[in-house]
């Protein structure tokens, strides 16, 4: 960062837990980094940047571009390994720094690429280190880590897991160490983090906006002073910063002498087990964090309060259950822990402790040592799964929104052109992020950097062959590279809802409205649009035109009229027209029609038998390649999931067969028989459907 | 030949929008304006008109980023180096301009990219500045900001907040100053910005077409006059525009001396807490905007009236639409603590 105008760490107001988590990492980088989750405007980034000035110095091999650790030869880069054979390596002390992964970073900048200058001038294939190389031995800061592009996340995960960065591109094959403290920030409202990445963070803190007025006033005051005269503020806190740095150094030096007693280790394992924590990493993190906490208070033996504090920081993102009331939970945990510790200490102290210690070391061995060590087994890149999110209990009339599960849809191969976020597609036009380059038969969108890199190593030779044009880049067609861009397409979810005077009409409408608002509240993240067609009486109307605006939806959905007969065909036709119009504006929008009805259409549109009309319209919709699903709102269940289909026996009167099921089939879509038509259930079904039809 | 720009003082109505722009001109740290509204409501007219009456800038004559020779901490690395070598930086005066960001702007264009010619001729990875570089010390106008790719909006807002553009791509690693007044527009019916991004705009103004018949007629009349004879139309409003320009310049000078009583700050914080706004930005922007308003009005001390006047601009995009109703409270007119002034 150019201007050294960062707010001093000790000047930050409040947010004690976040500051603590960061400081622990400054004391012991082995704690494993921090994930800071919170609303906007809560000084997350400021805190991380402020931390830079407090980070300890470290020893590195002099002259090594990756600043290898002279104390750990197993992690040496190839260069250092070679040099080490010929004698002892020079050692230098370097300050730790924060390396930022900017939002607009491209993959080659993250991973490293070929040094073009060297290539062009000397025909050499030299490696230009990227951000991962810079991050080695340092702190890697990823702001809005939940919005990081998938392919960058993959690269990051690999490096964090293996402790090395493996580069295979542009004719180069390089491996170099990549050990870093990973610090990330995110706003949980905007999407969740892939579980593998979540686990990669040692600690996690949740930050909130304080409601304490005095605290807020101090923040305002500080901001004003800093804007007016940043250097003065830095000077004003100079003494405190120095003292803090001193404390951290002292703590770091004590660290080796601090060891958790066996009973404490056993307690940690017990508590993690009780906390239903997945995996073993938590035990290690808690142990390390507790040590750091102990060192910071200048103690030498880890005690219960240290463990409790460490637990809170390490488990925030690992617990399987939801934390309900934090205060109460904390107290209960404290007393439970004290009991368990007493138990452990009382019962055959040496045997039990040894047994547990044996387990503990086995665990450590299995997990590969330090929380921040290179892992011996590469973790496989699983396809992302949506995390289970607790939803509030169904309350039908009250419209409460609840967190919508993040959908991870598989990528499509078809090119689409719209802006959106849920579906990731390869786009044809020159919009969208340039994510990587590829070789192509016909290159229409030249990736200049990749092309130049491809041509670079051959320059020396080619220029020698063309002595009269020594300064030109000699390109050959095989050098040309095509930009691969990625954009995300939006879905258009059209609800077609029966507003006729059938059973539970009001409930149905309310639930649908709630579902729409719920989906929309997260549509800004996914750039989906939602529309609502309601049918009742003798016609259908578009109550809500396709929109991604929650406010608009709320306004339009305020009054919904219910009553009258059921013009089902009208509803379907109106929806069809709506979708076709949308497609004119945006040919590659991804529509999903959701019909919520009991299927008892009894009004004719074309003068024919209503049911037949509806069936025919359904067929039309299917032909137009519009995804559809039917939510059956009949309450008398002859229409359980896995419905029995009977032939229609009479055109009028009782519909002995499952109309909705039949419609679903004609629409080419799924049938969902909802036992309990609630907002939750509707949203669930829609999401399941979108997940299912991720491609085509 | 000078291109005529429609005079700011000739714009009919839209007082909130004009005020929001003026406040940002006085104190850009407010964080820019997001103008939400339909097309044809004079948004870009107002922005260009404002640029016309803002004071001229002193720049380093040959610097591509138009660095300010009198602000050494904000210099680009080239200017910094030259200064360090003892050079006197050549000076020039330039008008402030409105730099537009087109909707289909690609990242290369916004952030800057590798200079292809240099790459081809000598294998050098040289940086070709983009829109953010042009925007430094100017006004950056982003139409339909909600249609921009999210990461571009992120880049813009990052630059606006930090005052620099950091580029790490295609083998280059470079930064340059990017301090600008940010003006974004959008049509709310076409979808919203992410709350995270919304929050980073200082103020928000919702504009609508004018309903008053008299004003509508006046708008059309003026437009016709303007189109038939822009020179004399500008002349007619020249004095009024000059007055506004002077007032803004004076406000800029007055700003640091305006007194902000502790009671008023407290009232701002209390208001935001009661509305359950996320984060501190509402507090921070509220302070800056009300202070800028006081400076503009020549009021020596910020009072309840100023806070209330800017409240809806500060909060419109930050208050959660809880239960479908958005009520912007206003702080009560008589505040016991607010009446006692003490510089905090």
């Amino acid at each position: 960062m150019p201007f050294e105008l960062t707010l001093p760490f000790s000047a930050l107001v409040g947010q004690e837990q976040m500051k603590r988590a960061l400081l622990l990492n400054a004391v012991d980088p082995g704690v494993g980094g921090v994930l800071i989750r919170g609303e906007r405007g809560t000084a997350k980034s400021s805190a991380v940047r402020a931390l830079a000035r407090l980070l300890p110095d470290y020893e590195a091999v002099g002259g090594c571009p990756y600043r290898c650790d002279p104390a750990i030869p197993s992690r040496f880069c190839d260069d250092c390994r070679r040099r080490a054979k010929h004698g002892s390596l020079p050692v230098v002390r370097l300050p730790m720094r924060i390396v930022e992964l900017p939002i607009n970073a491209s993959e080659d900048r993250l991973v490293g690429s070929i040094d073009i200058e060297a290539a062009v001038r000397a025909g050499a294939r030299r490696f230009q280190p990227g951000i991962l190389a810079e991050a080695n031995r340092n702190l890697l800061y990823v702001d809005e880590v939940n919005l990081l592009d998938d392919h960058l996340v993959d690269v990051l995960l690999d490096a964090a897991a293996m402790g090395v960065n493996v580069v295979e591109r542009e004719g180069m094959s390089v491996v170099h160490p990549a050990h870093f403290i990973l610090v990330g920030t995110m706003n949980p409202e905007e999407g969740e983090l892939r579980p593998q990445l979540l686990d990669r963070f040692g600690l996690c803190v949740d930050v909130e906006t304080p409601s304490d007025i005095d605290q807020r006033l101090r923040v305002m005051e500080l901001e004003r002073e800093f804007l007016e005269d940043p250097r003065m503020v830095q000077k004003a806190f100079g003494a405190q910063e120095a003292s803090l740095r001193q404390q951290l150094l002292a703590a770091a030096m004590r660290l080796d002498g601090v060891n958790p007693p066996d009973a404490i280790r056993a307690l940690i394992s017990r508590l993690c087990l009780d906390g239903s924590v997945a995996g073993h990493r938590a035990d290690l993190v808690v142990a390390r964090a507790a040590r750091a906490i102990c060192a910071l208070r200048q103690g030498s033996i880890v005690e219960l309060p240290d463990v409790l504090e460490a637990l809170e920081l390490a488990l925030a993102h690992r617990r399987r259950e939801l934390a309900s009331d934090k205060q109460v939970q904390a107290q209960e945990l404290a007393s439970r822990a004290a009991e368990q510790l007493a138990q452990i200490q009382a019962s055959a102290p040496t045997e039990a402790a040894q047994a547990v210690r044996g387990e503990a070391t086995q665990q450590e061995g299995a997990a590969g040592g330090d929380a921040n060590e290179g892992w011996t087994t590469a973790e496989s890149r699983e396809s992302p799964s949506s995390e289970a999110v607790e939803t509030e209990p169904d309350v039908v009339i009250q419209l409460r929104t609840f967190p919508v599960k993040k959908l991870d849809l598989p990528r499509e191969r078809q090119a689409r052109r719209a802006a959106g976020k849920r579906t990731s597609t390869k786009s044809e036009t020159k919009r969208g992020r340039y994510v990587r380059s590829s070789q192509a038969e016909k290159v229409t969108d030249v990736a200049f950097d990749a092309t130049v890199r491809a041509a670079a190593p051959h320059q020396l030779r080619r220029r020698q062959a063309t002595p009269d044009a020594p300064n030109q880049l000699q390109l050959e067609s095989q050098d040309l590279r095509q930009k691969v861009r990625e954009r995300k397409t939006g879905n258009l979810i059209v609800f077609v809802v029966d507003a006729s005077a059938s059973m539970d009409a009001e409930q149905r409408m309310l639930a649908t409205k709630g579902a729409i608002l719920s989906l929309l509240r997260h549509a800004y993240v996914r750039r989906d649009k939602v529309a609502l067609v309601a049918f009742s009486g003798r016609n259908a109307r578009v109550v809500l035109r396709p929109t991604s605006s929650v406010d608009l939806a709320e306004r339009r959905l305020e009054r919904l009229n219910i009553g009258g007969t059921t013009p089902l065909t009208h509803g379907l036709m109106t929806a069809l027209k709506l979708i076709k119009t949308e497609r004119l504006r945006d040919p590659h929008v991804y529509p999903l029609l959701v019909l919520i009805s009991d299927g008892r259409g009894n009004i004719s549109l074309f003068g024919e038998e209503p049911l037949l009309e509806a069936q025919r319209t359904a067929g039309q919709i299917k032909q137009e390649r519009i995804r559809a699903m039917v939510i059956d709102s009949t309450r008398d269940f002859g229409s359980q999931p896995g419905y029995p289909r009977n032939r229609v026996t009479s055109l009028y009167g009782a519909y002995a067969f499952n109309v909705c099921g039949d419609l679903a089939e004609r629409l080419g879509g799924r049938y969902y028989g909802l036992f309990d038509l609630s907002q939750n259930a509707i949203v669930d079904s829609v999401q399941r459907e979108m997940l299912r039809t991720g491609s085509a | 030949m000078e291109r005529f720009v429609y005079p700011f003082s000739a714009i009919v109505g839209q007082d909130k929008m004009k005020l929001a722009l003026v406040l940002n001109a006085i104190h850009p740290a407010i964080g820019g304006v997001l103008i939400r509204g339909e097309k044809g409501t004079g948004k870009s007219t107002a922005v260009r008109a404002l640029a016309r009456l803002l004071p001229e800038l002193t720049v380093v004559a040959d610097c591509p980023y138009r660095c300010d020779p009198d602000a050494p901490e904000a210099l680009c690395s080239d200017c910094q180096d030259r200064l360090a070598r003892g050079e006197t930086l050549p000076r020039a005066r330039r008008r402030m301009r409105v730099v537009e960001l087109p909707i289909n702007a690609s990242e290369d264009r916004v952030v800057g990219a590798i200079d292809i010619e240099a790459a081809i001729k000598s294998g050098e990875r040289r940086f070709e500045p983009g829109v953010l570089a042009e925007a430094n010390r100017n006004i950056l106008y982003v139409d339909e900001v909600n249609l921009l790719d999210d990461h571009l909006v992120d880049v813009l807002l990052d630059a606006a907040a930090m005052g620099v553009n950091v580029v790490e791509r295609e083998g280059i690693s470079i930064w340059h100053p990017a301090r600008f007044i940010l003006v974004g527009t959008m049509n709310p019916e076409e979808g919203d910005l992410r709350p995270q991004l919304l929050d980073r705009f200082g103020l928000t103004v919702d504009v609508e077409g004018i309903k008053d018949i008299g004003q509508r007629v006046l708008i059309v009349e003026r437009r016709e006059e303007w189109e038939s004879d822009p020179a004399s139309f500008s002349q007619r409003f020249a004095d009024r525009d000059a007055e506004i320009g002077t007032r803004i310049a004076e406000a800029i000078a007055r700003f640091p001396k305006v007194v902000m009583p502790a009671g008023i700050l407290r009232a701002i914080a209390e208001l935001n807490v009661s509305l359950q706004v996320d984060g501190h930005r509402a507090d921070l922007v509220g302070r800056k905007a009300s202070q800028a308003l006081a400076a503009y009005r020549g009021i020596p001390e910020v009072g309840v009236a100023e806070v209330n006047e800017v409240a809806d601009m500060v909060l419109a995009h930050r208050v959660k639409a809880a239960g479908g109703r958005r009520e912007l409270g206003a702080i009560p007119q008589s505040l016991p603590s607010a009446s006692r002034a003490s510089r905090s």
Side-chain angles (χ1 to χ4, degrees), chain A residues 104 109 144 209 214 216 223 471 527 551, chain B residues 107 121 146 150 168 266 279 283 288 326:
Chain A
N104 60 357
R109 182 67 192 111
E144 305 218 69
T209 319
D214 288 311
R216 292 174 82 118
E223 198 249 1
N471 285 330
R527 289 207 188 244
D551 290 336
Chain B
E107 193 169 336
K121 289 221 176 94
N146 57 330
D150 276 359
E168 301 256 12
R266 178 167 287 271
D283 290 353
K288 290 180 261 202
R326 242 201 254 132

PDB file of all heavy atoms in Angstrom, chain A residues 104 109 144 209 214 216 223 471 527 551, chain B residues 107 121 146 150 168 266 279 283 288 326:
ATOM      1  N   ASN A 104      -9.722  -7.615  -7.958  1.00  0.00           N
ATOM      2  CA  ASN A 104      -9.531  -7.750  -9.398  1.00  0.00           C
ATOM      3  C   ASN A 104      -8.288  -8.543  -9.759  1.00  0.00           C
ATOM      4  O   ASN A 104      -7.778  -8.419 -10.852  1.00  0.00           O
ATOM      5  CB  ASN A 104      -9.495  -6.367 -10.047  1.00  0.00           C
ATOM      6  CG  ASN A 104      -8.353  -5.521  -9.486  1.00  0.00           C
ATOM      7  OD1 ASN A 104      -7.632  -5.951  -8.592  1.00  0.00           O
ATOM      8  ND2 ASN A 104      -8.190  -4.327 -10.008  1.00  0.00           N
ATOM      9  N   ARG A 109      -1.715 -13.529 -11.604  1.00  0.00           N
ATOM     10  CA  ARG A 109      -1.078 -12.662 -10.612  1.00  0.00           C
ATOM     11  C   ARG A 109      -1.041 -13.366  -9.268  1.00  0.00           C
ATOM     12  O   ARG A 109      -0.134 -13.167  -8.489  1.00  0.00           O
ATOM     13  CB  ARG A 109      -1.855 -11.348 -10.524  1.00  0.00           C
ATOM     14  CG  ARG A 109      -1.290 -10.332  -9.587  1.00  0.00           C
ATOM     15  CD  ARG A 109       0.053  -9.771 -10.020  1.00  0.00           C
ATOM     16  NE  ARG A 109       0.657  -9.026  -8.933  1.00  0.00           N
ATOM     17  CZ  ARG A 109       1.746  -9.389  -8.245  1.00  0.00           C
ATOM     18  NH1 ARG A 109       2.380 -10.491  -8.570  1.00  0.00           N
ATOM     19  NH2 ARG A 109       2.186  -8.655  -7.254  1.00  0.00           N
ATOM     20  N   GLU A 144     -13.712  -9.767   1.724  1.00  0.00           N
ATOM     21  CA  GLU A 144     -14.908 -10.348   1.104  1.00  0.00           C
ATOM     22  C   GLU A 144     -14.587 -11.728   0.535  1.00  0.00           C
ATOM     23  O   GLU A 144     -14.846 -12.033  -0.621  1.00  0.00           O
ATOM     24  CB  GLU A 144     -15.442  -9.428   0.014  1.00  0.00           C
ATOM     25  CG  GLU A 144     -15.697  -8.031   0.547  1.00  0.00           C
ATOM     26  CD  GLU A 144     -16.923  -7.383  -0.031  1.00  0.00           C
ATOM     27  OE1 GLU A 144     -18.029  -7.847   0.288  1.00  0.00           O
ATOM     28  OE2 GLU A 144     -16.759  -6.423  -0.796  1.00  0.00           O
ATOM     29  N   THR A 209     -22.317  -3.972  14.902  1.00  0.00           N
ATOM     30  CA  THR A 209     -22.249  -2.539  15.149  1.00  0.00           C
ATOM     31  C   THR A 209     -22.637  -2.282  16.600  1.00  0.00           C
ATOM     32  O   THR A 209     -23.667  -2.761  17.047  1.00  0.00           O
ATOM     33  CB  THR A 209     -23.242  -1.791  14.251  1.00  0.00           C
ATOM     34  OG1 THR A 209     -23.212  -2.365  12.969  1.00  0.00           O
ATOM     35  CG2 THR A 209     -22.899  -0.331  14.184  1.00  0.00           C
ATOM     36  N   ASP A 214     -21.642   6.136  23.420  1.00  0.00           N
ATOM     37  CA  ASP A 214     -20.320   6.709  23.691  1.00  0.00           C
ATOM     38  C   ASP A 214     -19.268   6.090  22.794  1.00  0.00           C
ATOM     39  O   ASP A 214     -18.365   6.767  22.308  1.00  0.00           O
ATOM     40  CB  ASP A 214     -19.948   6.493  25.158  1.00  0.00           C
ATOM     41  CG  ASP A 214     -20.776   7.388  26.060  1.00  0.00           C
ATOM     42  OD1 ASP A 214     -20.843   8.599  25.766  1.00  0.00           O
ATOM     43  OD2 ASP A 214     -21.365   6.881  27.025  1.00  0.00           O
ATOM     44  N   ARG A 216     -19.762   4.903  19.851  1.00  0.00           N
ATOM     45  CA  ARG A 216     -19.944   5.433  18.503  1.00  0.00           C
ATOM     46  C   ARG A 216     -19.384   6.841  18.390  1.00  0.00           C
ATOM     47  O   ARG A 216     -18.817   7.227  17.381  1.00  0.00           O
ATOM     48  CB  ARG A 216     -21.416   5.427  18.142  1.00  0.00           C
ATOM     49  CG  ARG A 216     -21.982   4.032  17.971  1.00  0.00           C
ATOM     50  CD  ARG A 216     -23.460   4.057  17.770  1.00  0.00           C
ATOM     51  NE  ARG A 216     -23.790   4.332  16.385  1.00  0.00           N
ATOM     52  CZ  ARG A 216     -24.448   3.494  15.597  1.00  0.00           C
ATOM     53  NH1 ARG A 216     -24.803   2.318  16.081  1.00  0.00           N
ATOM     54  NH2 ARG A 216     -24.757   3.826  14.373  1.00  0.00           N
ATOM     55  N   GLU A 223     -12.430   9.241  13.591  1.00  0.00           N
ATOM     56  CA  GLU A 223     -12.451   9.339  12.123  1.00  0.00           C
ATOM     57  C   GLU A 223     -12.199  10.766  11.697  1.00  0.00           C
ATOM     58  O   GLU A 223     -11.453  11.030  10.751  1.00  0.00           O
ATOM     59  CB  GLU A 223     -13.799   8.835  11.591  1.00  0.00           C
ATOM     60  CG  GLU A 223     -13.775   8.498  10.113  1.00  0.00           C
ATOM     61  CD  GLU A 223     -14.592   9.453   9.255  1.00  0.00           C
ATOM     62  OE1 GLU A 223     -15.168  10.397   9.823  1.00  0.00           O
ATOM     63  OE2 GLU A 223     -14.646   9.244   8.036  1.00  0.00           O
ATOM     64  N   ASN A 471      13.200  -5.240 -33.174  1.00  0.00           N
ATOM     65  CA  ASN A 471      12.437  -4.778 -32.013  1.00  0.00           C
ATOM     66  C   ASN A 471      10.991  -5.205 -32.002  1.00  0.00           C
ATOM     67  O   ASN A 471      10.233  -4.841 -31.134  1.00  0.00           O
ATOM     68  CB  ASN A 471      12.499  -3.256 -31.934  1.00  0.00           C
ATOM     69  CG  ASN A 471      13.866  -2.816 -31.439  1.00  0.00           C
ATOM     70  OD1 ASN A 471      14.490  -3.546 -30.676  1.00  0.00           O
ATOM     71  ND2 ASN A 471      14.325  -1.680 -31.899  1.00  0.00           N
ATOM     72  N   ARG A 527     -28.667 -11.799  -8.255  1.00  0.00           N
ATOM     73  CA  ARG A 527     -29.213 -11.108  -9.421  1.00  0.00           C
ATOM     74  C   ARG A 527     -30.327 -11.879 -10.088  1.00  0.00           C
ATOM     75  O   ARG A 527     -30.494 -11.849 -11.297  1.00  0.00           O
ATOM     76  CB  ARG A 527     -28.106 -10.823 -10.440  1.00  0.00           C
ATOM     77  CG  ARG A 527     -27.175  -9.747  -9.938  1.00  0.00           C
ATOM     78  CD  ARG A 527     -26.559  -9.055 -11.102  1.00  0.00           C
ATOM     79  NE  ARG A 527     -25.521  -8.155 -10.665  1.00  0.00           N
ATOM     80  CZ  ARG A 527     -25.556  -6.859 -10.817  1.00  0.00           C
ATOM     81  NH1 ARG A 527     -26.598  -6.305 -11.365  1.00  0.00           N
ATOM     82  NH2 ARG A 527     -24.559  -6.110 -10.413  1.00  0.00           N
ATOM     83  N   ASP A 551     -38.054  -3.794  -2.344  1.00  0.00           N
ATOM     84  CA  ASP A 551     -38.997  -2.715  -2.025  1.00  0.00           C
ATOM     85  C   ASP A 551     -40.187  -2.723  -2.953  1.00  0.00           C
ATOM     86  O   ASP A 551     -41.330  -2.604  -2.538  1.00  0.00           O
ATOM     87  CB  ASP A 551     -38.288  -1.361  -2.150  1.00  0.00           C
ATOM     88  CG  ASP A 551     -37.271  -1.176  -1.054  1.00  0.00           C
ATOM     89  OD1 ASP A 551     -37.442  -1.826  -0.007  1.00  0.00           O
ATOM     90  OD2 ASP A 551     -36.329  -0.409  -1.249  1.00  0.00           O
TER      91      ASP A 551
ATOM     92  N   GLU B 107     -13.106  -4.340 -17.448  1.00  0.00           N
ATOM     93  CA  GLU B 107     -12.219  -4.083 -16.325  1.00  0.00           C
ATOM     94  C   GLU B 107     -10.934  -3.398 -16.768  1.00  0.00           C
ATOM     95  O   GLU B 107     -10.449  -2.500 -16.094  1.00  0.00           O
ATOM     96  CB  GLU B 107     -11.883  -5.401 -15.653  1.00  0.00           C
ATOM     97  CG  GLU B 107     -11.233  -5.181 -14.315  1.00  0.00           C
ATOM     98  CD  GLU B 107     -11.137  -6.449 -13.534  1.00  0.00           C
ATOM     99  OE1 GLU B 107     -11.935  -7.366 -13.804  1.00  0.00           O
ATOM    100  OE2 GLU B 107     -10.284  -6.514 -12.663  1.00  0.00           O
ATOM    101  N   LYS B 121       6.708  -3.975 -28.498  1.00  0.00           N
ATOM    102  CA  LYS B 121       7.978  -3.429 -28.995  1.00  0.00           C
ATOM    103  C   LYS B 121       9.170  -3.903 -28.184  1.00  0.00           C
ATOM    104  O   LYS B 121      10.207  -4.218 -28.728  1.00  0.00           O
ATOM    105  CB  LYS B 121       7.941  -1.900 -28.962  1.00  0.00           C
ATOM    106  CG  LYS B 121       7.039  -1.287 -29.999  1.00  0.00           C
ATOM    107  CD  LYS B 121       7.675  -0.045 -30.617  1.00  0.00           C
ATOM    108  CE  LYS B 121       6.781   0.495 -31.729  1.00  0.00           C
ATOM    109  NZ  LYS B 121       5.882   1.534 -31.200  1.00  0.00           N
ATOM    110  N   ASN B 146     -26.064  -0.101 -11.039  1.00  0.00           N
ATOM    111  CA  ASN B 146     -26.540  -1.422 -10.642  1.00  0.00           C
ATOM    112  C   ASN B 146     -26.415  -2.450 -11.758  1.00  0.00           C
ATOM    113  O   ASN B 146     -26.633  -3.635 -11.541  1.00  0.00           O
ATOM    114  CB  ASN B 146     -27.990  -1.365 -10.152  1.00  0.00           C
ATOM    115  CG  ASN B 146     -28.903  -0.772 -11.203  1.00  0.00           C
ATOM    116  OD1 ASN B 146     -28.484   0.068 -12.002  1.00  0.00           O
ATOM    117  ND2 ASN B 146     -30.142  -1.190 -11.218  1.00  0.00           N
ATOM    118  N   ASP B 150     -20.512  -6.678 -10.467  1.00  0.00           N
ATOM    119  CA  ASP B 150     -20.260  -6.404  -9.052  1.00  0.00           C
ATOM    120  C   ASP B 150     -18.811  -6.101  -8.748  1.00  0.00           C
ATOM    121  O   ASP B 150     -18.506  -5.203  -7.966  1.00  0.00           O
ATOM    122  CB  ASP B 150     -20.697  -7.593  -8.197  1.00  0.00           C
ATOM    123  CG  ASP B 150     -22.184  -7.533  -7.895  1.00  0.00           C
ATOM    124  OD1 ASP B 150     -22.822  -6.565  -8.338  1.00  0.00           O
ATOM    125  OD2 ASP B 150     -22.695  -8.444  -7.231  1.00  0.00           O
ATOM    126  N   GLU B 168      -3.415  -5.335  -9.732  1.00  0.00           N
ATOM    127  CA  GLU B 168      -2.559  -6.523  -9.685  1.00  0.00           C
ATOM    128  C   GLU B 168      -3.074  -7.511 -10.716  1.00  0.00           C
ATOM    129  O   GLU B 168      -3.918  -8.339 -10.444  1.00  0.00           O
ATOM    130  CB  GLU B 168      -2.683  -7.195  -8.315  1.00  0.00           C
ATOM    131  CG  GLU B 168      -2.308  -6.326  -7.151  1.00  0.00           C
ATOM    132  CD  GLU B 168      -0.945  -6.696  -6.588  1.00  0.00           C
ATOM    133  OE1 GLU B 168      -0.233  -7.461  -7.259  1.00  0.00           O
ATOM    134  OE2 GLU B 168      -0.617  -6.217  -5.506  1.00  0.00           O
ATOM    135  N   ARG B 266     -23.959  13.335  19.400  1.00  0.00           N
ATOM    136  CA  ARG B 266     -24.681  12.328  20.167  1.00  0.00           C
ATOM    137  C   ARG B 266     -26.048  12.078  19.550  1.00  0.00           C
ATOM    138  O   ARG B 266     -26.495  10.939  19.435  1.00  0.00           O
ATOM    139  CB  ARG B 266     -24.822  12.820  21.613  1.00  0.00           C
ATOM    140  CG  ARG B 266     -25.590  11.894  22.526  1.00  0.00           C
ATOM    141  CD  ARG B 266     -25.391  12.320  23.974  1.00  0.00           C
ATOM    142  NE  ARG B 266     -24.062  11.986  24.434  1.00  0.00           N
ATOM    143  CZ  ARG B 266     -23.733  10.820  24.991  1.00  0.00           C
ATOM    144  NH1 ARG B 266     -24.646   9.888  25.132  1.00  0.00           N
ATOM    145  NH2 ARG B 266     -22.501  10.599  25.366  1.00  0.00           N
ATOM    146  N   GLY B 279     -23.390  -0.792  10.933  1.00  0.00           N
ATOM    147  CA  GLY B 279     -22.105  -0.141  10.731  1.00  0.00           C
ATOM    148  C   GLY B 279     -22.072   1.307  11.190  1.00  0.00           C
ATOM    149  O   GLY B 279     -23.056   1.881  11.631  1.00  0.00           O
ATOM    150  N   ASP B 283     -23.165   7.249  10.909  1.00  0.00           N
ATOM    151  CA  ASP B 283     -22.669   8.258  11.855  1.00  0.00           C
ATOM    152  C   ASP B 283     -21.675   9.173  11.162  1.00  0.00           C
ATOM    153  O   ASP B 283     -21.779  10.403  11.224  1.00  0.00           O
ATOM    154  CB  ASP B 283     -21.925   7.591  13.021  1.00  0.00           C
ATOM    155  CG  ASP B 283     -22.844   6.817  13.950  1.00  0.00           C
ATOM    156  OD1 ASP B 283     -24.076   6.897  13.784  1.00  0.00           O
ATOM    157  OD2 ASP B 283     -22.323   6.135  14.846  1.00  0.00           O
ATOM    158  N   LYS B 288     -20.226  14.490   8.554  1.00  0.00           N
ATOM    159  CA  LYS B 288     -19.590  15.255   7.488  1.00  0.00           C
ATOM    160  C   LYS B 288     -20.598  16.045   6.660  1.00  0.00           C
ATOM    161  O   LYS B 288     -20.364  17.198   6.304  1.00  0.00           O
ATOM    162  CB  LYS B 288     -18.775  14.326   6.586  1.00  0.00           C
ATOM    163  CG  LYS B 288     -17.535  13.793   7.281  1.00  0.00           C
ATOM    164  CD  LYS B 288     -16.735  12.870   6.391  1.00  0.00           C
ATOM    165  CE  LYS B 288     -17.035  11.436   6.719  1.00  0.00           C
ATOM    166  NZ  LYS B 288     -15.969  10.522   6.298  1.00  0.00           N
ATOM    167  N   ARG B 326     -40.399   2.114   5.902  1.00  0.00           N
ATOM    168  CA  ARG B 326     -39.131   2.763   6.193  1.00  0.00           C
ATOM    169  C   ARG B 326     -39.430   4.132   6.752  1.00  0.00           C
ATOM    170  O   ARG B 326     -39.895   5.006   6.032  1.00  0.00           O
ATOM    171  CB  ARG B 326     -38.328   2.911   4.898  1.00  0.00           C
ATOM    172  CG  ARG B 326     -37.037   2.173   4.936  1.00  0.00           C
ATOM    173  CD  ARG B 326     -36.112   2.738   3.910  1.00  0.00           C
ATOM    174  NE  ARG B 326     -35.961   1.873   2.769  1.00  0.00           N
ATOM    175  CZ  ARG B 326     -36.052   2.281   1.520  1.00  0.00           C
ATOM    176  NH1 ARG B 326     -36.332   3.512   1.234  1.00  0.00           N
ATOM    177  NH2 ARG B 326     -35.877   1.457   0.534  1.00  0.00           N
TER     178      ARG B 326
END
